[in-house]
Amino acid sequence: MVDSPGYSSSSDDFAALLDAELVSSEEGEEEEEEEEEEEEEEEEEEEEEEDEKDEEEIEEEFEVNSNRDKRRKLEESTDQPSATGACPHPGFYAGMCMRCGQKIDDGSGIQFGYIHKNLRLANDEIARLRDIDLKSLLSRRKLCLVLDLDHTLLNSTRLSDLSVEEHYLNAQSNGFPDSLKNSLFRLEHIHMMTKLRPFVRTFLMEACKRFEMYIYTMGERPYALEMAKLLDPQEVYFNSKVIAQGDCTQKHHKGLDVVVGQESSVLILDDTEGVWGKHKENLILMERYLYFASSCKQFGFKCKSLLELGSDESESEGALSTILAILEQIHTLFFDVANEKELKTRDVRQVLKMVRKKILAGCKIMFSRVIPSNFPAENHHLWKMAQQLGATCTTEMDPSVTHVVATDTGTTKSQWALRESKHLIHPSWLEATNYMWKKLPEEKFPVEAAKVNK
């Protein structure tokens, strides 16, 4: 098979296969309904034409007998166990087993409605498809990439939620300024405005060379499909791989159970860590893209939006450009094996962990009044973040400490850091380093002296 950006692995292949199966099944049902009538006609034809048949009649008889055999096999597979045992019921369409036609309404398996409406697959069949998908990906030297939409690849707002300073865009009848024409869209039919994140088109074009890509959003399907059209108007990147809120198996949570790819080959880009409870090891956390004021308000930020400021992220140094470089690095390391057979046992989560741990390797971090005194330090998100980035954490003053994280220069530990020429930094240094995947200059994250109330 010729590899191309438009080629999709098992989810789309399976959709095509399913369509063929369904057509075959529907034809079988029509034949079954007309069985008695056909058999009577066949018997009459056999009696009347038994003595002489030309070549055309012989061909017709062969076709009739063949159809009868097919119907008999379908009935036997539906009502009786096969020679190797009962039907395993690998998948269901509208409650009917795709293999034997039996009605099964026990709710077993997982729905894959984004692949084909009313499709549900059994766990064993899902495992089989994932094995096929993994072999296909590895043979093409690709991995799987699951992409969130809102605040990751783009930012949307309802037209009615535009701020006073933003509303001028909604009032423009001659279109947007030239600088925004290819990235800002007013979608009247869904009463929304959407801004694509800078660098997103280059990101998708480059990422598709190394990854099979899915969209996975907590938004509803009509919205998800509209966003997919903006991001992928030629249907090159995603095809049917658009997963929306209604496809999730757990309310308010995302899961890889509805992704055909093996977990060991999947990376996730999302701005919200909490929705990926079971798959945080696959996650690359994205800095939120807050172009509209409504999004700033949604996350409790009392600041002007990028649009209100007349600004935007950098194409070359923004979040997507940074993450693309990390994805390329992870891909290179994953496929850097001496023996191709080793690829089957590789786990992209381990590669991701290894790359992340190099960022703050050699740093020893102490926290000063950042973690509540009655809270276990090792369970605090900043402590965990520092460890994931490769740093060692401590609560005690020690000569080997390299950084003190604080919000006030007046604490005992902060004063000690100043005396001992240790890096005294604001917690935002850790968070920014985590987003940017590199150790950022400490001097850009100073700790300010606490304000004294007069």
Side-chain angles (χ1 to χ4, degrees):
M1 181 175 291
V2 178
D3 189 21
S4 71
Y7 173 73
S8 175
S9 63
S10 57
S11 63
D12 293 303
D13 289 343
F14 186 73
L17 177 62
L18 179 60
D19 286 334
E21 289 287 339
L22 292 175
V23 170
S24 175
S25 177
E26 288 170 0
E27 290 174 349
E29 289 178 0
E30 291 174 359
E31 292 172 353
E32 199 169 353
E33 290 175 355
E34 298 173 358
E35 179 179 356
E36 294 181 2
E37 183 179 344
E38 288 179 357
E39 288 181 350
E40 290 176 0
E41 292 175 357
E42 291 161 15
E43 290 174 0
E44 290 177 1
E45 289 175 0
E46 289 172 0
E47 291 175 359
E48 293 173 1
E49 302 167 11
E50 183 177 358
D51 296 329
E52 60 180 307
K53 294 179 180 178
D54 56 21
E55 185 176 345
E56 180 180 354
E57 290 169 336
I58 292 174
E59 291 175 357
E60 289 177 353
E61 181 182 10
F62 177 81
E63 184 177 352
V64 168
N65 290 335
S66 178
N67 287 339
R68 183 185 297 146
D69 289 341
K70 289 179 180 178
R71 287 195 300 275
R72 186 179 67 252
K73 289 178 181 179
L74 176 62
E75 292 168 357
E76 290 174 353
S77 66
T78 303
D79 300 330
Q80 300 177 11
S82 65
T84 57
C87 175
H89 305 312
F92 311 95
Y93 176 75
M96 182 180 73
C97 176
M98 292 167 47
R99 176 172 294 180
C100 71
Q102 182 179 341
K103 276 283 186 180
I104 306 289
D105 295 319
D106 60 2
S108 61
I110 295 175
Q111 287 186 333
F112 283 79
Y114 70 93
I115 296 178
H116 204 295
K117 187 177 180 181
N118 298 320
L119 172 65
R120 181 183 289 271
L121 296 177
N123 292 331
D124 288 346
E125 181 66 5
I126 295 170
R128 187 185 73 84
L129 289 173
R130 284 180 175 149
D131 284 341
I132 294 173
D133 183 75
L134 181 62
K135 291 177 182 177
S136 173
L137 286 176
L138 297 181
S139 69
R140 294 179 289 127
R141 299 185 73 81
K142 282 192 172 187
L143 295 170
C144 184
L145 182 62
V146 175
L147 299 167
D148 174 52
L149 283 178
D150 294 286
H151 311 116
T152 297
L153 299 182
L154 49 82
N155 188 200
S156 294
T157 185
R158 289 192 294 264
L159 295 177
S160 59
D161 288 339
L162 288 170
S163 70
V164 174
E165 294 174 73
E166 296 172 335
H167 204 271
Y168 76 96
L169 287 174
N170 195 33
Q172 287 186 349
S173 58
N174 298 325
F176 300 128
D178 291 343
S179 61
L180 296 174
K181 280 185 177 178
N182 295 320
S183 62
L184 185 62
F185 302 89
R186 184 168 52 230
L187 307 171
E188 298 283 1
H189 57 296
I190 58 173
H191 312 291
M192 300 197 79
M193 188 175 289
T194 296
K195 173 65 171 62
L196 301 186
R197 196 168 198 165
F199 197 72
V200 68
R201 296 201 186 280
T202 303
F203 173 87
L204 293 174
M205 181 177 65
E206 294 300 319
C208 80
K209 298 174 183 178
R210 299 170 178 83
F211 296 89
E212 192 82 15
M213 297 188 295
Y214 287 74
I215 285 174
Y216 199 146
T217 177
M218 294 300 286
E220 295 181 357
R221 175 156 294 277
Y223 170 75
L225 294 176
E226 286 292 336
M227 297 303 103
K229 289 178 184 177
L230 296 182
L231 293 166
D232 186 17
Q234 303 301 319
E235 298 185 358
V236 172
Y237 307 129
F238 303 113
N239 296 302
S240 67
K241 301 185 294 298
V242 179
I243 304 173
Q245 184 184 82
D247 301 305
C248 300
T249 57
Q250 189 176 355
K251 194 173 182 179
H252 305 311
H253 283 81
K254 296 179 179 180
L256 294 180
D257 51 351
V258 293
V259 174
V260 178
Q262 287 277 21
E263 291 183 19
S264 61
S265 67
V266 178
L267 291 172
I268 303 165
L269 294 191
D270 203 317
D271 68 289
T272 305
E273 183 179 20
V275 297
W276 291 101
K278 296 180 180 179
H279 305 290
K280 292 182 180 179
E281 291 186 341
N282 301 79
L283 176 66
I284 296 176
L285 191 63
M286 293 290 294
E287 183 178 7
R288 287 193 172 111
Y289 183 52
L290 305 175
Y291 189 75
F292 297 108
S294 60
S295 292
C296 296
K297 184 178 179 181
Q298 176 186 347
F299 293 104
F301 297 123
K302 297 179 180 179
C303 61
K304 288 185 178 294
S305 67
L306 289 171
L307 177 53
E308 289 174 321
L309 293 170
S311 180
D312 208 345
E313 283 188 357
S314 166
E315 282 268 349
S316 59
E317 298 179 3
L320 288 178
S321 177
T322 297
I323 293 303
L324 177 62
I326 298 302
L327 290 174
E328 291 174 342
Q329 181 184 358
I330 292 171
H331 180 276
T332 299
L333 291 172
F334 183 94
F335 285 98
D336 184 21
V337 292
N339 190 331
E340 290 293 320
K341 293 182 179 179
E342 295 179 30
L343 287 177
K344 295 181 180 179
T345 61
R346 297 280 278 176
D347 193 325
V348 74
R349 292 168 292 194
Q350 297 304 315
V351 179
L352 177 61
K353 187 181 297 184
M354 178 182 66
V355 172
R356 184 180 273 133
K357 276 189 170 293
K358 291 180 179 180
I359 298 172
L360 291 183
C363 296
K364 188 170 184 178
I365 298 176
M366 181 172 63
F367 295 90
S368 178
R369 294 190 188 175
V370 172
I371 302 174
S373 58
N374 60 347
F375 189 88
E378 63 274 11
N379 293 336
H380 194 270
H381 75 280
L382 288 176
W383 184 289
K384 290 182 177 181
M385 184 183 294
Q387 288 184 325
Q388 289 170 353
L389 293 170
T392 302
C393 297
T394 183
T395 56
E396 304 297 329
M397 288 182 282
D398 184 300
S400 63
V401 169
T402 59
H403 295 73
V404 174
V405 177
T407 57
D408 179 6
T409 59
T411 69
T412 301
K413 292 177 180 177
S414 294
Q415 290 295 310
W416 175 83
L418 293 172
R419 288 196 309 270
E420 299 295 325
S421 299
K422 306 295 184 181
H423 291 294
L424 180 61
I425 48 175
H426 192 271
S428 58
W429 175 77
L430 264 180
E431 294 169 338
T433 293
N434 186 51
Y435 284 130
M436 297 305 293
W437 285 75
K438 62 182 178 181
K439 184 182 175 185
L440 298 175
E442 289 86 351
E443 60 271 17
K444 291 186 177 182
F445 300 85
V447 179
E448 297 182 358
K451 294 181 180 179
V452 179
N453 295 325
K454 295 183 179 180

